[in-house]
Amino acid sequence: MQLSDHFTLEELCRSSRADAEGIENAPSAAVARRLGLLCLHVLEPMREGLGAPLSVTSGYRCESLNALVGGKPSSQHVRGEAADVVPEGADLRTAFDAVYRSGIPYDQLILEPGWIHVSVCPDREPRRQALWAERTPNGMQYHAYAPEG
């Protein structure tokens, strides 16, 4: 099912981990609608602004898949409001900074080691919260993002 010009429901729900564990990662109609909003309001503008396709590494996660991968129970992935993406052929930090400086109405933008987490919040004004993450011996640590220059 096509959610927007460049994104499908299937790619936003695809999970090799769910496949390996026999988990059906199928969203409800309400979750699919929120995934559509994520695509229209955040992912498509990101793709256009960066001039690069986005590879979705994680989108919707049902509760059992989310628990299996160590996601927080309150994760926006479970509600169909978040995706982890990698811009193809673009430097991750440069792409993150471009989205940060854009007018894209993201709720949360996180520069993770190896991908960008981005979310939308359809029920309220977006927070436009930007963070960067680092792996530490005590787990992932999140910090407020302050762009260089």
Side-chain angles (χ1 to χ4, degrees):
M1 172 182 170
Q2 203 69 35
L3 295 174
S4 66
D5 286 348
H6 298 99
F7 298 96
T8 66
L9 181 62
E10 292 74 23
E11 77 180 298
L12 270 290
C13 297
R14 184 179 309 128
S15 168
S16 57
R17 186 75 186 266
D19 292 344
E21 299 292 332
I23 296 171
E24 185 178 344
N25 193 45
S28 67
V31 168
R33 279 191 297 278
R34 286 193 293 277
L35 286 167
L37 293 173
L38 173 67
C39 292
L40 290 171
H41 297 291
V42 177
L43 297 181
E44 286 289 349
M46 275 181 73
R47 185 182 196 283
E48 182 177 328
L50 297 172
L54 300 177
S55 178
V56 178
T57 60
S58 181
Y60 169 70
R61 297 191 300 236
C62 66
E63 289 180 8
S64 56
L65 176 60
N66 191 58
L68 186 67
V69 301
K72 294 181 181 178
S74 61
S75 171
Q76 286 180 289
H77 286 276
V78 175
R79 296 190 305 268
E81 298 172 355
D84 299 335
V85 299
V86 176
E88 296 178 15
D91 175 72
L92 206 58
R93 175 70 183 249
T94 302
F96 179 88
D97 193 57
V99 175
Y100 172 81
R101 293 176 189 276
S102 76
I104 295 171
Y106 62 81
D107 186 53
Q108 197 173 51
L109 182 70
I110 306 174
L111 180 59
E112 301 271 3
W115 67 89
I116 296 171
H117 168 93
V118 65
S119 69
V120 67
C121 190
D123 302 327
R124 62 174 160 69
E125 286 295 311
R127 295 176 287 176
R128 287 191 52 90
Q129 179 185 47
L131 305 169
W132 64 275
E134 69 174 326
R135 292 190 205 290
T136 71
N138 297 326
M140 201 67 82
Q141 298 293 314
Y142 294 89
H143 311 276
Y145 179 69
E148 297 172 2

